[in-house]
Amino acid sequence: MTETAARIDAATRTIRFAGGGTLDYDYLVYAVGSGQARIPDGALTISTLAGSAQARRAVEALEPGQHVAVVGGGLTAIETAAETAHRHRHLRVSLHAADVPAPRVSAGARRGLARSLRRAGVEQRNGTPVPSSGDPRVGLDADVVLWCAGFSVPDLAAASGLPVDGAGRLVVDPALQVPGQPRIYGAGDAAAIAGPDFAYLRMSCAAAMPMGADAAGNILRDMDGEARIRHDSGFGGQCVSLGRSDGMVQFVRADDSPVRFHLHGRLAAVQKEIICRMTLRWIRGEAKRSGAYTWPKGPRMRTTTAEQGQAPAWS
Ligand SMILES: Cc1cc2nc3c(=O)[nH]c(=O)nc-3n(C[C@H](O)[C@H](O)[C@H](O)COP(=O)(O)OP(=O)(O)OC[C@H]3O[C@@H](n4cnc5c(N)ncnc54)[C@H](O)[C@@H]3O)c2cc1C
């Protein structure tokens, strides 16, 4: 069944769909992900399947010498610019970051990224924010603008009266359960675990998958009358593909802070490809055998539950 949820009524344990139907639930996992924040008229997004298909058609229709501008300074924008430049050598490709590009990687890794972008022929324009009002194709003198300037989350939780943080993410406790709503769990980009201990969990596939697995595991524990566990996951690296034979892997501590070690070039491209394939393999493996998927542990917690002012709901 494919439907868009329009409201969650926690009191009656019912989901109301945009098409008019309803669905009762015993437990709910809120995992509606993230998408592009508002995109200016005239720009295209690659954050959805339909959006990226449209962007691909627009880029493929360009004549030699025409200009693709990529707006954003994160790894998604960098990957998009490098891949576009490698695949469409006959086009002009530029990257427009409001600030320092790839701010979360080490300075050495950032220099390597800049070298890769130069080799790919990407013009780098850093430090000038592109206005989000008006058609950005005009100001950037571009034929196609790919808008990769950050993600935002759907407003379903807020619209349903559930607790949200400043970014609109559903607030959950360390067992991934909504405080005061024992039948609702949250996972992935659209959920945030309350408290400073979990602030390191950035929106990513690497965080969403372990959160989803723990939310499902805790629902099963709850149904069996067992104690729920506290979520525990950490990062191993940040990696991007920069064309078929170039890439960057920044190794990180469990809390996502970069270490000095980073890889570039063909070896990094292969590493990134392996991770993409492994992601699908992990999902398929878990579907075949529950518990098959495992992940790295998170950093040591700095505060105790009592210091966070929360009841130990997961014990
Ligand atoms: C171009 C691109 C490259 C990326 N590269 C990486 C990477 O290399 N590494 C990495 O770790 N992360 C990467 N990410 C981020 C990663 O894809 C997300 O962090 C991850 O998919 C989040 O998982 P999720 O399950 O929370 O949400 P999603 O995977 O976004 O899934 C949410 C689902 O909920 C559905 N949905 C939304 N609203 C409703 C509603 N109201 N009713 C019903 N269904 C709804 C959506 O249609 C979607 O199917 C990338 C993202 C993009 C866009």
Side-chain angles (χ1 to χ4, degrees), residues 92-231:
R92 193 184 142 209
V93 179
S94 59
L95 176 64
H96 304 260
D99 217 323
V100 179
R104 286 165 169 267
V105 303
S106 64
R110 202 174 302 123
R111 282 194 294 276
L113 278 173
R115 272 196 301 276
S116 289
L117 287 168
R118 272 197 300 278
R119 271 201 304 273
V122 175
E123 298 166 27
Q124 297 167 67
R125 306 263 180 272
N126 305 331
T128 316
V130 177
S132 54
S133 57
D135 186 338
R137 288 176 297 185
V138 177
L140 297 173
D141 191 23
D143 300 288
V144 169
V145 172
L146 303 178
W147 198 263
C148 305
F151 296 136
S152 66
V153 297
D155 66 357
L156 177 59
S160 303
L162 296 169
V164 292
D165 69 5
R169 296 185 298 171
L170 179 72
V171 175
V172 293
D173 70 16
L176 301 168
Q177 190 185 51
V178 176
Q181 297 291 352
R183 296 301 185 112
I184 304 181
Y185 286 74
D189 288 3
I193 306 176
D197 278 345
F198 292 95
Y200 70 94
L201 282 177
R202 69 181 143 89
M203 287 186 185
S204 62
C205 168
M209 287 178 62
M211 286 174 82
D214 266 351
N218 274 343
I219 289 174
L220 294 175
R221 286 181 195 96
D222 205 34
M223 290 167 90
D224 290 344
E226 292 172 16
R228 285 165 291 124
I229 59 164
R230 181 184 174 100
H231 179 64

Side-chain angles (χ1 to χ4, degrees), residues 2-8 15-18 30-36 45-49 52 75-77 79-80 148 151 153-156 187-191 202-209 211-212 235 237-241 272 275-276 279:
T2 308
E3 291 267 17
T4 299
R7 283 286 183 283
I8 298 161
I15 302 168
R16 194 145 31 90
F17 294 112
Y30 184 85
V32 293
S34 63
Q36 190 67 68
T45 179
I46 58 148
S47 71
T48 61
L49 198 54
S52 42
L75 294 182
T76 304
E79 187 167 274
T80 303
C148 305
F151 296 136
V153 297
D155 66 357
L156 177 59
D189 288 3
R202 69 181 143 89
M203 287 186 185
S204 62
C205 168
M209 287 178 62
M211 286 174 82
F235 293 99
Q238 298 176 20
C239 48
V240 276
S241 176
K272 170 71 181 173
I275 290 170
C276 290
T279 302

Side-chain angles (χ1 to χ4, degrees), residues 251-268:
F251 292 89
V252 298
R253 299 179 190 89
D255 68 356
D256 205 31
S257 57
V259 297
R260 288 181 63 169
F261 188 46
H262 44 93
L263 279 180
H264 299 267
R266 190 175 289 275
L267 192 57

